[in-house]
Each structure stands twice: as C-alpha cells, then as structure tokens.
C-alpha cells in the first residue's frame, strides 16, 4: 500500500520501518529531520509538511500527546489533504475528550478513522510484536489490517467507537502504574524488615507475577537503575492524569489513581524528572526513610 | 522421615498427602476429625492431640492465623512434646510480631524453627507445585528440605531470620490485593466507557499481565463469579491488616494498603462476606453506580 | 466613585447593592436581564454590553469560573473599554493558570488589576461582611479600597502578585471541603456505633469546632437537608479540581484532595447533583451501608 | 463526696485539684509518687495501691491507654475494692473493644460505670473548663454529676451505653487530626505559591475557621514550633489507630483516617517522634520538597 507515517519518535520510527520491510510505500514526516533521514536510508520517501504525508490510501500517526495531535493533525492540514476514502490510523495515547472530538472531525472530512494505541516499548515495536488496540468502523479497520499486522503481534478489536481503544490504553497504563507502585510499597516494606528488594522481587516475579510488566520494572527497582528512562516520570504523570480525566468524564472514582498522582508528583518534586517511572520505588523508600543507595 | 502434620484444611490436607506419596511416615492432627480420617485412608497415622503429632523428626503445621497458631502450637503442648533437635516448620501466614515471638519460644525449647509460608491455592498444593518461602537456620532448613521439596515446585530461601519469610508472604499477598484492586478500578473505568470487563481484561491478561495472579482473578471479575470463594473477603482483610501492621512496626507508609483496607471494609459492609476477594470489583463498580449484573 | 459591576448572581447582586448603598454610582451588567432590573430599582444604571459597564474608575466582576471570565472579560471587550488608569477587581474563584494570564493581559492594556476573591455566602454578602482576599499592586488596591470596604468586613492583603489571592481562596475552599469530609466520616463512624449524627455534631461544633464553617455544614448533615443547596456538588468538585491543579503546577501532593475528588465523584455518580456539597455525608454513610433516612 | 482519683498525669492532676477545690475528699494514686505528693500539699490523701483509692463513693481514673487501664483498674484490684453502689468514672481515651469489655466487668462486680472522656488540654483542665462526654446509666451519671461539674464547663450526655462516649471521643480526635492535616496540606500549597504559612493561616483562622482547634495548631504550624509537644506524634498515631479500629468493628471505611495513618507514620519515620502532631505540616512540606526553616 501507499501510506504516510507522521511522528518518528523511538516508537514511530520502529513502526514505520516495519511497514517498509513489509513492502509498503511509506512517506514519512517528523518535526525534526534526523529520524526521517534515517528512514529514507531504508527506502522511505520524506515529506516536507505533515499534509504531504497524507496523500496515500492511509496515514498513520504516532504523536506524543493531545497537543501534538492537535498541532500536527488538526492544524497541519492532514485531514484536508487526505483523499476521500482514505483512513487515518492514530496510534497516540490521547484523552477520551480529544478522541471523541477526532471522531467528529474525521467524519466531517469524509475520511476513515481508526484509533490504534499500542502496548510495547521501542524494542517491541522494532520486533514488530506490539499489541495493538484497534477501534473504529469495521470497514476502516479491514482497510488497514495488513498495516497493523506488519507492526504488531496481535490486533485486539474493541468495537466501532474509536475512543474505546483510547480508554482501554489509558486503563492499561493505569494498571502498569499500579503494578509499579505495588512493587514499590511492597519492597519498601520488605527492605525495612531486612530483605533486599532484589531477593523479594525475584520470588514474586518468578511466581505469581511472572509477567513482562512486572519483570522489567522489578529489575529496574532492584538495581535502582532509573536512567536512561524507558518511560519518564512526566509521561507517567500524564498517563495517570488521562485516567483521572477519563474517570471524571464518566464519574468513576479511582482511589489508586489518586495515590499514583501524589506519588508521581512527589517523585517530580523531590528528584530528577528524567528518571524512569519505576523511580516510584524511591518515593516509597523515602517515605519510610530507607537509605537510597 | 517420621513427621507430624497439624492442620488439615484444604491446603494442609493436600500438603500432607504429598508427604505420604513421597514415602514419609506422617502422623496427622486436625481440630475436626473428618480430614484426618481421609488421610488415614491414604496411610497416615491419626493423633488424638496436637502434641501426639509432634514426636517425630519434624512437625509441620498449616494453621489459619495467629490465634490458631497460639491455641494449637503454643497452648497445645507441641513444643514440649518435640524431641530435642527436631524442627517445626510453620506454614501459616502470621503477623511479624508473632513470628518474632515464635523464634524466641522455639529457642527456649531447644527445637528448630523454620517459617515456610507458601504461595498457591489448594489445587496447586495438591499438584505439589507450591512456591515455598523458607527462612530459618540453614541447618534446620536442610533438615526438612526433602519435605519441602515433596510439597513445592521450588523453595525460596530468605535467610536465617524466620520472620522474613512471613514478611515476604505478607508483602506478596498485599501485591495480589493491589493487582485485584487495579483490575477492579480499571474495569470500572472501561465499563463506564462502554467496554465489557471481559473484553478489556482479556487484552490485558493476554499481554502485559499474562501472569497467573492476574489471569485467575480477571476471569472471576469478568464473569462476576464470586462464589464459591477461593479466598474470602475476610481473609483478604486479614492479610491487608497484616501488611499494615508490618508497616506500622517498621514505620513504612503504605498508601495502597490503606485504600485496600477501605475497599475491603466497604465490600464487607455492603455485600455477602463469603464472596471471593475479587469482589473488590463490585465495590469499584458500586462507587461509579454501574449496574451489577 | 463611578464604577461598573459585571456578574449579578446571588453574590454579585448583593455586593453591587452594597456599593449603591455606600453612595457609589454603579453601572451593572448581567447575562440575563432580571438581576440588573432589580438593581436598577435600587439606583443602578444598566449596561447593554459588558464593555459598557467598564467605563468608570473601576470595574468589579463576580463571574462563575474560568470560562465565564474568559467569555465576558477577555472576549467581551472589557479591558479595551476601560480608561487608562482604571482598575479591574476580579472577585471570581479562578485557576492559578488563568490568574497569571490575567496579570499579563491587564498590563498589556495599561489597566490596574486586583484579584479579590471572597469568603462568605450570599447572606454574608448582603450584610456587607464578606472576608475579602486582595492581591495586586499596592496603588491599585488603595484605589479601590473604599469599594472593598463597602462590601466586606475585612480586606486581607496578600501582596502584589494577584494570583496569590486566588491560591489562598482555592486552599481555603479545600479546607472547607476537608472539614465537611471529616464530619461526614466521623458521623458515619459514630452513627454506626449508635450515636445520632445530630448529637455527635452538636458536641463537636459547640466545643473544639465552634467555627462558622463547621456549624453551618454540621446542621445540614445532621438534618440531611441537602436541597436547596448553598453550594452544589459540581461547584465543590470544581474547587477541589482547582486545588489539585494548583498542586500540580507547584508539585505539591495533596492526599486529602485526592480523597475529596473521589468522594465528590461518587456523590455525583450515585445521587442528585443539585445537592449541597455537605451531601458528602451521604457518600460516607453509603460506604458503610448505613440507612439513608 | 469522698472519692478516689487514679492517674495523675498533667490532665489527671489538674482534674483532681479541681475536685479538692470544690471541697471533696480525694484519695489519689499514681504510679510515680511525685504528682501525688504535690496534690497532698493541696489536701489530698495519698493511697499506696490503686485499690486503696477505690473505697469511697466514686473513683475517677485518667489513665493513658488501654494497657494502663488493664494494668491498673482490672489487674490492680480496683473493682474488687469498690463498695457496692459506688461508681467508677473512666476518663481515659480507650478502644471501643475495651470499653465494651469494661461494661461487662463492672456489672459483674456490681459497681456503677460511667465513661467520661474529655476534650481539652492540661491548661483547660486546670481552669475547670473541660468538655466532658459522659455515657452510662442515668443513675450513675447523676451520682457523679457534681464531680464532673467541678472539672468541666459542660457535661455532654451520650446515653446509657458507656462505649458511645469513647466512640465520640475517638471520632472527635480524628476530626482534630484531619483539621491539622488539612492545614498542613493547604499551607504547603500556598507556600509553594509564595504565601507565608503564617499569612494564609491567619486569614483562615480569623474567618471561616475561627475555632480553638484550628487557632492553636495554626500557630504551631506557622511558627514551626513543634517542641515541647502538647500532644505527641505517637499519641496522635494511637488515636488515629483507635478510629481505624472502631471503623473496622462497625465496618465503616474512613479514607481520611487512612491518609492520616500514613502521614503520621511518615512523620515518625523521618523525624523526631517527640514533636507535636502539628508536625504533620513538615510531612506535607517534605512531600513537596519545600525548605524546612
């Protein structure tokens, strides 16, 4: 297929590369030029403006947040540039409010819209084994299925209302944050009673919690290795805020999210914001006055 | 070996049966007679009093809580009956305070003491694949290692101070409770936005949270099947209280445990206490006024 | 003085009336015409557009929230209409972010700016005994001091940075919400142990908590009289959200505000949103399954 | 009347002195002898053992906690020594569980029992202006009313079930703790936005929160003067724990109490435990990384 890809951060670049490998013609755009150049070396065409990447059968975008989606997609002329019948696949983790707004705007422009946030870090994206949560009209999803399958291990269908994929992504990230906080508190408790965090977490993540989400973060917590960050504290704060906003919209109290909000704020107030969000373990230790070494 | 086994609930009975299968001579005692009779049919000897089960090389006990350990082990004459050099293996989930008291009392009686709480439900115990957290003097653990290996898939050593195994067990159960609450809140959020809990939880437990702890409880939450309970709400409340008490003893704030305490109390105040503790999902739904059917 | 007054809700109308009584010439504007007509009967001039009320030595505004301030003051041409050297007194409870933006915008227009949120309900406003938190350049405050004193019992100076008055107002409303929640939880606890809420709260508000903030809300809680509301649940939710946002901006964790957020959301999810925010007591009772009658 | 008084801490000594001033014959006992000697100089008789102070028409006791009440009253032979028809007035802040146990034990011994916890610090006790919460059989209360009125400004009747006075006292202390935490969080928020705690708290405690409970603690927070303590952090922790236990007994979730528990634990973990519990303000500031000077 002839497609565009907008937003070439660590995730987007890896995803676009997999589209190229799968034989698609990909026109890329990124705010800064270097990542586009790297993809050009793999066969991508480079667009000068976002709208120039939007003239194929589909345009995929992987942007950082609500603001970036507004600036690039809505104010960048992308929808206006898309041919009638083309589909926009939005991989960003965005708010439910913006998700609903986008549904209306795409309809006005007569173009298809699929929300397709993903689970997986850059190495998973590079391996083409992302889990992709897809929601949108069935015909639109079918139209881009080959693209999604080139990037992901599995495409999970969440129905016709695109915002549902965003809610599920937000809820999933909330569960990740809660998993980190629960390890942070549990290992502060066991450390205070004389057990090394590494020893306790090894037991847990080899048994009941033998899941990727736990194993990766347990290692960071045990080794107190928070930089370079896979996912920074401000990004974690952003995602917990999206969960709280989604809860507000539907009037769902989320007490764990409230605790996470405060723990993340404390992490930001008391230490380097560029740490990985597994540094929540430093907040739990700090509250108990445990040594940080 | 010639050993005793005290406490034949669903867990203890399955564990004692595996000792018999491994060829050990096992004298059993239980408060009510039926479970002992069932094990007698598998070759066990039946003791009339707890002390009568304590005359071999080792005595293992799997009792419900602090009170039961006090009543049966301390007030039941078990330690007095043990031959010098024998080892008591205590599988119960008990408080850190009692754990420390037991260390002193066993030393006074000149008998060995190993704390060996386990992770796994009755079906896991029956399969002989428990994860066993063991702490105590190295020589004592070696003395009973064959017994532990007959009951468990793996024995995790947590050092010489027996109470550490109890702290780790308590911290692990706290992490389980937190996992349930995080699924409860996340699925209330996604339900309120139109996604079935089953659909959302299937994605999560097939991907990031593909761990036994999540998969089992996710199924109960998705199917709203809380009875018969694998682990009741009052037992969950007891375990979260043990975590809070362990936190108090070492001055470790545990904000997630505070939320869990309130959610479990609300579950007990507003519904059937005999439900499985995954009924925390009903509390999360109730707060958001979601229908319960 | 010759002044304008914009925004004639229950608070604004009472405040404007006191300016008239003090002998000032007051030109009023309100979105709906009735309140302006009522003040005209007391001697006010009525403006057709907000800008028409902005041509005197000072313009005071009492609008509902950030949105209303943006719509009426910024988009309504008020600053453009003000004579050079005039002062705008903004009584609204607004976000810290908007407060800072307003400082810049007023400076651009060469007009004075005083933030002057108030404590007190409409009956207090009518009596002219509000507590007024004022911040802004000293000269600007002096210029409007006679006006403030005509409306309030006391003017509290909070320095030159206008947003500080807004932060103080937000923090004060957060303390009010916390006072209500603490009465709600305490009286759920005492009710569950057989003490009528009225009896318990009478003791407390006659002794340690003999303060207006407690006495008024204690009465509403004791009598379960939540309508008509003095201050509705959505307004309470808005104010707690302002506190959380101010905490986010300065990285201040606020665990009580997190609890309040969830309690207010639960109140909105499970009952009539038009209740007074003292209906937090119904949420506390609901959690404990206490009868609501 | 001829009465005994057991427990002469700062509170008890001041209360016993007021009984002497009112003309009663008072036999006192205290664990350490100095306070008894001081009262002897004011006319008190000094008992050698608790039971020796229990032989009059009434015995009043002001002991520190559950343990002290058990040790002195139950194990000290006080009830056995009391003449039939005499009344024991228990001023201690104790758990609901012990309160109920005491009702039964007094009945067995055929002596009257009035629970009469108080609000007020030692200076208030010395002035004879305590607020006394009294519960017990009406006849018993009448029998000791003159004594209570000699020590308090007002006696608040809470019915016939003595434990209700204890629940009310516990709930009241919980409200005090919540008031401190709300000032702690609010002044961390305002400090972070450039307002001195003293300035903000002066406004609040001169207006909406012009109540003794707020004014005293606001001063300590504003001046960061936490020693000597009027009420130490461990006592605060004890009282919040009593509230949580009372909530557990009646299944009443208390989210504010959970936050208080963690804040007090953090205060104990990270600073001098001998500080006044208004040092919760240091915890709130620490979380936001505000300077502590």
């Amino acid at each position: 297929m002839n497609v565009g890809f907008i937003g070439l951060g660590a995730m987007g670049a890896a995803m676009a590369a997999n589209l190229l490998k799968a034989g698609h013609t990909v026109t890329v755009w990124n705010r800064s030029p270097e990542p586009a150049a790297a993809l050009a070396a793999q066969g991508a065409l480079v667009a000068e403006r976002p709208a120039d990447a939007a003239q194929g059968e589909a345009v995929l975008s992987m942007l950082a947040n609500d603001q970036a989606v507004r600036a690039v997609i809505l104010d960048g002329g992308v929808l206006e540039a898309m041919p009638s019948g083309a589909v926009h696949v939005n991989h960003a983790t965005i708010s439910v409010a913006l998700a609903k707004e986008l549904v209306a705007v795409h309809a006005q422009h007569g173009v298809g819209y699929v929300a397709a946030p993903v689970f997986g870090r850059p190495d998973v994206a590079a391996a083409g084994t992302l889990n992709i949560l897809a929601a949108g009209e069935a015909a639109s999803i079918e139209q881009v299925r080959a693209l999604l399958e080139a990037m992901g291990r599995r495409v999970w269908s969440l129905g016709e209302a695109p915002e549902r994929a965003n809610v599920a992504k937000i809820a999933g990230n909330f569960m990740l944050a809660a998993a980190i906080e629960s390890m942070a508190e549990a290992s502060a408790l066991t450390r205070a009673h004389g057990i090394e965090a590494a020893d306790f977490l090894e037991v847990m993540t080899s048994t009941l919690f033998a899941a990727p989400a736990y194993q990766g973060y347990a290692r960071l917590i045990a080794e107190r290795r928070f930089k370079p960050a896979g996912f920074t504290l401000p990004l974690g704060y952003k995602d917990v805020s999206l969960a709280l906003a989604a809860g507000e919209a539907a009037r769902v109290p989320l007490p764990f999210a409230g605790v996470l909000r405060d723990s993340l704020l404390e992490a930001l107030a008391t230490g380097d914001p560029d740490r990985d969000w597994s540094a929540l373990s430093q907040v739990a230790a700090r509250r108990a006055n445990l040594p940080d070494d």
Side-chain angles (χ1 to χ4, degrees), chain A residues 11-148:
Chain A
M11 291 297 293
M15 293 161 76
N18 279 320
L19 294 178
L20 288 167
K21 274 184 224 157
H24 298 289
T25 302
V26 186
T27 304
V28 300
W29 180 87
N30 193 61
R31 202 174 42 170
S32 63
E34 297 80 4
L39 280 160
Q42 298 170 52
L45 305 171
V46 178
E48 272 193 34
R49 298 166 309 148
D52 299 336
Q55 291 160 4
E57 300 158 72
V59 56
L60 299 83
S61 62
M62 179 47 125
L63 295 158
N65 51 32
D66 280 28
Q67 268 176 297
V69 171
R70 281 189 190 285
V72 175
I73 304 299
L74 296 185
D75 300 343
V78 168
L79 302 190
E80 290 77 0
M82 287 173 69
S84 166
V87 174
H88 173 210
V89 182
N90 182 357
H91 295 293
T93 298
I94 56 171
S95 70
V96 179
L98 177 57
K100 290 183 178 173
E101 185 182 334
L102 288 171
V103 173
V105 176
H106 283 77
Q108 282 164 22
H109 284 84
V111 294
Y113 181 54
V114 172
V118 304
F119 285 119
R121 294 196 166 204
D123 56 329
V124 178
T129 56
L130 293 169
N131 279 285
I132 302 178
L133 309 179
E137 287 184 9
S140 297
I141 293 180
E142 282 321 302
Q143 213 171 321
V144 297
R145 182 172 295 278
L147 303 171
L148 299 178

Side-chain angles (χ1 to χ4, degrees), chain A residues 181-269:
Chain A
E181 173 75 14
S182 85
M183 284 193 282
E185 295 187 18
S187 52
L189 180 62
T190 49
R191 280 183 66 199
H193 284 279
I195 307 169
E196 289 292 315
D199 293 342
F200 170 67
L201 292 172
E202 194 209 344
V203 178
M204 299 312 298
T205 60
S206 303
T207 58
L208 294 171
F209 295 95
Y214 278 82
Q215 290 166 332
Y217 290 117
R219 205 158 32 239
L220 302 182
I221 292 171
E223 301 173 3
R224 298 177 209 185
R225 180 162 48 84
F226 304 115
K227 296 184 69 169
F231 194 71
T232 62
L233 288 164
L235 290 174
Y237 186 84
K238 183 203 93 172
D239 278 4
V240 168
S241 299
L242 289 177
L244 289 165
E248 175 177 323
R251 300 189 166 174
V252 182
L254 297 172
F256 264 21
V259 170
L260 289 167
R261 182 190 174 281
D262 282 333
S263 294
L264 287 162
L265 271 185
E266 183 168 349
L268 292 168

